[in-house]
Amino acid sequence: MVSRVIPVDSFDLVIFGGTGDLARRKILPGLFRRYASGQMPDEGRIIGAARSDMTCDEFRTMVKEAVEEFDPKSAKDTENLEKFLERVFYVAVDAKGDGGWKELGDLLRPDMIRAFYFSVAPSLFGTIAERLKTFELADDDARIVVEKPFGKDLETARALNKSLAEHFHEGQIYRIDHYLGKETVQNLMAVRFGNMLFEPLWNSQYVDHIQITVAETVGVGGRGSYYDTSGAMRDMVQNHLMQLLCLIAMEPPAKFDPDAVRDEKLKVIRALDPVEPHHIVRGQYSASEKCASYREDVENPRSFTESFVAMRCEISNWRWAGTPFYMRTGKRLKARTSEIAVVFKDAPHSIFGAEAGVHRNVLTIRLQPNEGMTLGVTIKEPGPGGMRLVDVPLDMTFAEALGPDAEEVPDAYERLIMDVIRGNQTLFMRGDEVEAAWAWTDPIINGWTNRNDVPKPYDTGSAGPDDALMLMHRDGRRWREIKE
């Protein structure tokens, strides 16, 4: 199976914060991969913009080093890398002042798609948007890409949306969530809406519950100052996990159109019930022989910020009423994995007797690592000696199903940036969607703040606090094992 590469139109892409960590780790290596694949046209140009005073040649050297460090395999294609670097430029820009904006305008070409990637702190979003208009660098067809966090609560999210809307209309604003660019996430829509097999079963009549897990083995690292004012709820649940829940629970859109898809996601968020306090578990990782504790990592010995959160949610609509959605995410857990498990109900009657055991179908959508999907089905165990049942997976792991082509599946950032150039907003969040997510999240955060809840400690390398296990045990269910 060979994927078709469809080139995008010629463009000028300006990366504000072009010397920053995200640009070096993800954006620039990803753009090189798109160029090497033939998707980025020769007329496409990338312009780094930052405070640092450097020349184009110095920036190109930095870009080359970034590709070599973060994508060494692709960097071996030295011929394409040199050609790519010829399409890379740099200008020093003062985001809060007037310096560099005229020079940036001189680099931009007429009659080209213009996209501006805001890989900077959210406090600069409105300022940069205002200057793009003041210096007439953005026309009515220009696109801006903004990274999360999209505010820290409903009030700040509204203020952020308002500041962007003063200069750009909603069709120009691309709020990027890299989880939506993952191949498996998009395949989820294909599986749901492209197969008659699943959609009739995708409701409370047949689904017992759904689990969404995003587990990390790392701690907060160098993000301590940011993370301690954010926590797992703001950093992960309000955006990444919420988006996964929406794609699982949404109704079929009338067509695969940006606003049609996002309309259905918005309906899911607005149908979410408030979460009761006893349906939430928060945790902080403890110190181990090799790792510091959360409080040591953030240098705040009295921190009540959570590095782990698990919760039970319900959606009040006809499709999902009575079906619980369990979400959990945390740092310093036993394995790095992201998956969605759709657990179907037991057969209403087993003809095989109690000795056959209890078996049920589980559709597992694995986002990382080893992207793919498996459907657990029950079969007879081979051999004599009666009817012994076992569960086996119908496996569609990308690496096995696609063979060598699996390595060519674009990274999430690559796909999303190409969608920006195409003008396709399907996989980007709309302003009202962001605000609805905060409207649901804020009461949860305010509740545990008002109750002075203290996160439960959990061991590094574990599955989280014991209370998270009890969250499901009370319902007669169990979390799936966190494993690579």
Side-chain angles (χ1 to χ4, degrees):
M1 183 185 300
V2 179
S3 60
R4 290 187 302 139
V5 175
I6 303 174
V8 298
D9 293 333
S10 300
F11 62 86
D12 284 340
L13 171 63
V14 179
I15 305 173
F16 291 102
T19 59
D21 184 60
L22 178 63
R24 294 181 66 254
R25 281 188 301 108
K26 291 290 186 180
I27 300 173
L28 294 166
L31 285 166
F32 169 60
R33 278 170 55 93
R34 291 302 88 211
Y35 178 78
S37 73
Q39 190 166 26
M40 175 180 160
D42 284 338
E43 294 77 17
R45 294 204 314 192
I46 297 141
I47 303 169
R51 291 177 299 176
S52 304
D53 187 12
M54 65 169 64
T55 65
C56 280
D57 286 341
E58 289 172 334
F59 183 65
R60 287 167 179 161
T61 299
M62 189 211 80
V63 173
K64 181 179 180 182
E65 292 172 349
V67 174
E68 291 172 342
E69 179 180 357
F70 296 105
D71 195 355
K73 183 176 180 180
S74 297
K76 293 178 181 177
D77 186 356
T78 54
E79 181 179 351
N80 267 325
L81 183 54
E82 289 303 318
K83 291 180 180 177
F84 173 73
L85 293 174
E86 293 174 2
R87 289 150 182 81
V88 173
F89 300 84
Y90 181 80
V91 59
V93 171
D94 180 2
K96 296 183 178 180
D98 295 337
W101 291 96
K102 181 182 182 302
E103 291 77 7
L104 176 59
D106 292 340
L107 279 175
L108 297 173
R109 298 168 294 174
D111 302 322
M112 291 283 176
I113 294 171
R114 294 185 181 184
F116 302 91
Y117 199 122
F118 293 8
S119 182
V120 295
S123 59
L124 295 176
F125 288 176
T127 301
I128 294 176
E130 185 270 331
R131 276 162 173 71
L132 287 174
K133 286 294 186 174
T134 298
F135 288 91
E136 299 181 347
L137 305 185
D139 56 22
D140 289 340
D141 192 46
R143 299 99 200 245
I144 62 171
V145 185
V146 293
E147 278 279 348
K148 77 176 187 77
F150 311 112
K152 59 177 296 184
D153 52 27
L154 178 57
E155 181 181 358
T156 54
R158 281 176 172 164
L160 184 56
N161 281 338
K162 182 180 178 181
S163 69
L164 295 177
E166 289 173 355
H167 310 287
F168 294 90
H169 59 76
E170 184 63 37
Q172 295 178 282
I173 303 171
Y174 292 70
R175 298 170 186 83
I176 193 167
D177 183 338
H178 70 274
Y179 262 63
L180 294 182
K182 291 181 179 292
E183 189 71 26
T184 323
V185 174
Q186 294 174 73
N187 248 319
L188 173 58
M189 286 190 280
V191 167
R192 277 201 60 190
F193 305 130
N195 295 281
M196 191 61 186
L197 173 66
F198 290 111
E199 188 57 26
L201 309 178
W202 213 264
N203 54 60
S204 59
Q205 183 178 353
Y206 298 102
V207 175
D208 180 78
H209 70 280
I210 292 171
Q211 299 183 28
I212 302 174
T213 297
V214 178
E216 300 177 272
T217 56
V218 298
V220 297
R223 302 170 67 220
S225 58
Y226 156 74
Y227 197 92
D228 203 39
T229 61
S230 174
M233 189 70 184
R234 289 188 174 99
D235 187 55
M236 293 295 293
V237 176
Q238 186 273 337
N239 41 73
H240 297 331
L241 274 70
M242 177 75 75
Q243 289 299 307
L244 298 181
L245 183 147
C246 287
L247 292 176
I248 281 284
M250 64 189 276
E251 294 296 320
K255 54 186 176 179
F256 193 59
D257 167 87
D259 277 332
V261 171
R262 295 187 295 180
D263 284 346
E264 297 303 333
K265 287 163 58 185
L266 180 61
K267 291 176 186 177
V268 172
I269 299 173
R270 289 177 172 169
L272 279 167
D273 288 341
V275 181
E276 298 295 332
H278 62 281
H279 286 158
I280 305 170
V281 176
R282 302 165 68 228
Q284 276 185 359
Y285 59 82
S286 304
S288 67
E289 292 182 1
K290 298 181 180 180
C291 302
S293 69
Y294 172 83
R295 292 184 175 186
E296 291 169 331
D297 279 343
V298 300
E299 299 179 349
N300 182 359
R302 297 182 59 83
S303 174
F304 286 171
T305 302
E306 75 285 352
S307 62
F308 174 98
V309 64
M311 62 176 60
R312 182 187 194 273
C313 309
E314 293 203 8
I315 301 172
S316 289
N317 61 19
W318 277 44
R319 181 182 290 265
W320 294 115
T323 300
F325 287 70
Y326 299 94
M327 299 194 292
R328 62 175 169 171
T329 183
K331 294 187 175 293
R332 290 257 190 261
L333 299 181
K334 63 191 300 184
R336 173 179 173 267
T337 185
S338 298
E339 71 168 31
I340 303 166
V342 181
V343 183
F344 292 92
K345 292 182 177 180
D346 296 333
H349 171 68
S350 174
I351 66 173
F352 303 112
E355 64 274 10
V358 177
H359 302 267
R360 58 175 42 168
N361 305 116
V362 180
L363 176 65
T364 305
I365 302 110
R366 193 172 177 89
L367 281 68
Q368 65 182 19
N370 306 320
E371 292 186 63
M373 300 187 187
T374 58
L375 175 63
V377 297
T378 302
I379 65 169
K380 176 188 176 294
E381 182 178 358
M387 182 63 73
R388 296 189 303 274
L389 303 183
V390 293
D391 294 332
V392 297
L394 296 177
D395 196 344
M396 198 203 73
T397 302
F398 287 173
E400 297 177 6
L402 302 182
D405 291 331
E407 297 183 7
E408 303 305 317
V409 172
D411 176 79
Y413 276 98
E414 299 173 43
R415 174 180 290 104
L416 293 173
I417 292 173
M418 292 299 99
D419 278 354
V420 172
I421 304 303
R422 292 190 190 95
N424 185 345
Q425 291 185 304
T426 304
L427 299 174
F428 297 83
M429 287 184 284
R430 206 166 57 193
D432 54 359
E433 190 180 346
V434 171
E435 292 181 16
W438 278 120
W440 178 77
T441 304
D442 278 358
I444 298 173
I445 296 174
N446 293 337
W448 68 52
T449 300
N450 294 336
R451 295 190 300 271
N452 292 317
D453 283 357
V454 179
K456 307 291 184 182
Y458 63 92
D459 293 335
T460 294
S462 69
D466 290 342
D467 289 39
L469 303 179
M470 294 304 301
L471 178 68
M472 292 195 73
H473 287 176
R474 289 197 301 264
D475 295 344
R477 301 183 176 96
R478 297 180 62 183
W479 288 108
R480 289 171 53 82
E481 182 182 359
I482 295 177
K483 59 184 179 180
E484 293 283 358

